Amino acid sequence: MILSIESSCDDSSIAITEIATKALRFHKKISQDSEHTVYGGVVPELASRLHAVALPRILEEARPCFSDLKAIAVTHEPGLSVTLMEGVMMAKALALTLKLPVIAVNHLLGHVFSLFIEKEAQFPLSILLVSGGHTMILEARSAFDLKLIGRSLDDSFGESFDKVAKMLNLGYPGGPIVESRAKEGDSGKFAFPIPMQKTSEVVFSFSGLKNAVRLEVEKLENPTDQDVNDICAGFQKTATAHLLQKCKKYFKQTHPKRFAIVGGASANLYLRQEIESLCWSFNCELLLAPLAFCSDNAAMIGRAAIPFFENERFTSLHQLEASPKNSLF
Ligand code: KG4
Ligand code: ZN
């Protein structure tokens, strides 16, 4: 079995995955949403201190499986340095005391493998990754072959939901709150411009849309609940339309046979529905992770570590370091 640790942002999580069957034997996650909500976003130092308390607590629960462990996997990049460090330090300590090899897992690869928890992997695969830190289209041929097709030039899709929620004093994380307020809103009331319609490239941008929302919010002195719902609906429709337009461009160029959406924001049901129609019209199979594994978790890190274990791709302890940057592409 592989014990995996995830602490790249504000979720402390540990999982134990059986190597041969891919079965998830243990999985626990402690989220810090309630601690960060008053700040309208994640405070890195606070997140780090909360990991230092939560991770050892979860580890205690996983202890009965220790004798069956063959490796320790840990998210080492990209993310917040101070929070990644908590997981990396724990991985080093466990590897030393239990005399086990370490597998350093890239967080974005982890999101890709959220599709294959307790399952065989399916490659080649085109992927829309939408999280709080990233918005990108990727092509994957294996766990070791990931190619970047296009990414956001500024904010990410999930981050733009967080920022709109902050402008409207709705709390953190913004994604689920904005999605649920949008259900009650009229998406035609505030017509925001769809970003980057004129560029033919597969690139994303959400900062212009965020500013357009800010201007409308500032115009409303005392927004009613219905105003807030209408803004959320208009924003979600426009942000999703931008993703869809760019994905359609990619589909026309590449005609993928298999497509997936991963990352925290892939839990958005409106986005799922729109991508489902796109895939249907291009006769493309759509893969989705279970809602419970869209946001950050250690189960996806453990699942991504299996091909590394099978290929003996271990990281030596003195080379294992937390890094805020993505080194894959
Ligand atoms: O993957 P994730 O847990 O963390 C990162 O790797 O960044 O993604 C978190 C992001 C947050 O920005 C959150 O607001 C967004 O995913 N998110 C959503 C939804 N649920 C979470 N965005 C839109 N709609 C949702 N339902
Ligand atoms: Zn993530």
Side-chain angles (χ1 to χ4, degrees):
M1 296 186 194
I2 295 177
L3 181 142
S4 53
I5 308 166
E6 159 64 39
S7 68
S8 65
C9 191
D10 60 340
D11 295 293
S12 318
S13 181
I14 293 180
I16 293 183
T17 308
E18 211 172 274
I19 297 164
T21 63
K22 279 102 191 157
L24 191 58
R25 291 286 169 220
F26 171 87
H27 179 231
K28 185 153 184 183
K29 157 167 151 167
I30 298 179
S31 297
Q32 307 171 355
D33 296 346
S34 57
E35 285 86 352
H36 296 289
T37 194
V38 283
Y39 305 102
V42 177
V43 181
E45 308 300 331
L46 173 62
S48 170
R49 283 202 298 277
L50 292 168
H51 284 306
V53 176
L55 285 174
R57 250 190 227 160
I58 307 176
L59 189 68
E60 250 341 279
E61 290 183 40
R63 193 177 281 277
C65 299
F66 277 14
S67 56
D68 295 319
L69 294 181
K70 293 280 176 273
I72 307 294
V74 65
T75 308
H76 74 121
E77 64 164 40
L80 301 169
S81 297
V82 286
T83 64
L84 284 165
M85 232 177 307
E86 294 296 328
V88 165
M89 282 190 310
M90 175 173 268
K92 283 189 181 186
L94 282 170
L96 276 172
T97 47
L98 301 175
K99 297 190 173 50
L100 292 173
V102 175
I103 300 167
V105 179
N106 178 288
H107 183 75
L108 307 180
L109 184 73
H111 275 302
V112 173
F113 272 85
S114 66
L115 299 163
F116 309 130
I117 291 169
E118 305 209 293
K119 279 188 196 162
E120 288 303 323
Q122 287 176 283
F123 293 115
L125 174 66
S126 300
I127 305 140
L128 172 66
L129 191 157
V130 276
S131 67
H134 299 87
T135 296
M136 46 179 65
I137 293 182
L138 302 169
E139 284 176 358
R141 306 209 150 267
S142 75
F144 314 113
D145 181 356
L146 241 64
K147 186 172 147 203
L148 175 68
I149 303 300
R151 64 174 9 145
S152 175
L153 303 175
D154 41 59
D155 295 349
S156 75
F157 180 72
E159 188 182 6
S160 67
F161 276 72
D162 296 333
K163 288 184 175 166
V164 166
K166 193 173 178 183
M167 285 174 215
L168 296 166
N169 291 319
L170 297 177
Y172 173 86
I177 311 170
V178 170
E179 182 182 8
S180 91
R181 297 295 295 251
K183 278 197 198 110
E184 310 301 321
D186 171 0
S187 63
K189 191 81 182 288
F190 295 89
F192 299 115
I194 300 174
M196 309 201 85
Q197 292 201 80
K198 295 207 174 92
T199 58
S200 58
E201 288 159 79
V202 178
V203 286
F204 303 97
S205 167
F206 293 93
S207 66
L209 172 59
K210 174 188 70 186
N211 288 330
V213 174
R214 191 186 304 283
L215 289 175
E216 289 299 337
V217 173
E218 280 168 6
K219 272 193 225 160
L220 298 164
E221 274 172 24
N222 287 310
T224 62
D225 276 354
Q226 193 56 46
D227 288 333
V228 170
N229 296 345
D230 294 344
I231 288 180
C232 289
F235 157 73
Q236 177 177 261
K237 186 179 175 195
T238 312
T240 307
H242 173 41
L243 286 182
L244 261 288
Q245 282 186 353
K246 294 301 179 184
C247 285
K248 195 169 180 181
K249 277 210 160 78
Y250 171 72
F251 272 59
K252 280 186 177 163
Q253 287 165 3
T254 317
H255 289 276
K257 286 278 150 277
R258 209 182 276 130
F259 192 73
I261 340 174
V262 300
S266 71
N268 186 294
L269 297 182
Y270 177 71
L271 171 65
R272 283 184 170 219
Q273 200 182 306
E274 294 291 300
I275 293 278
E276 212 170 290
S277 311
L278 180 72
C279 286
W280 188 84
S281 64
F282 279 82
N283 198 18
C284 171
E285 183 191 356
L286 175 64
L287 307 188
L288 294 164
L291 289 178
F293 296 123
C294 289
S295 59
D296 295 348
N297 65 83
M300 68 187 195
I301 303 303
R303 179 62 189 87
I306 293 179
F308 285 76
F309 182 86
E310 288 168 343
N311 288 276
E312 297 183 22
R313 292 204 187 198
F314 302 118
T315 302
S316 66
L317 281 187
H318 64 272
Q319 277 178 336
L320 179 65
E321 268 181 22
S323 164
K325 294 208 181 105
N326 170 37
S327 68
L328 288 187
F329 35 77

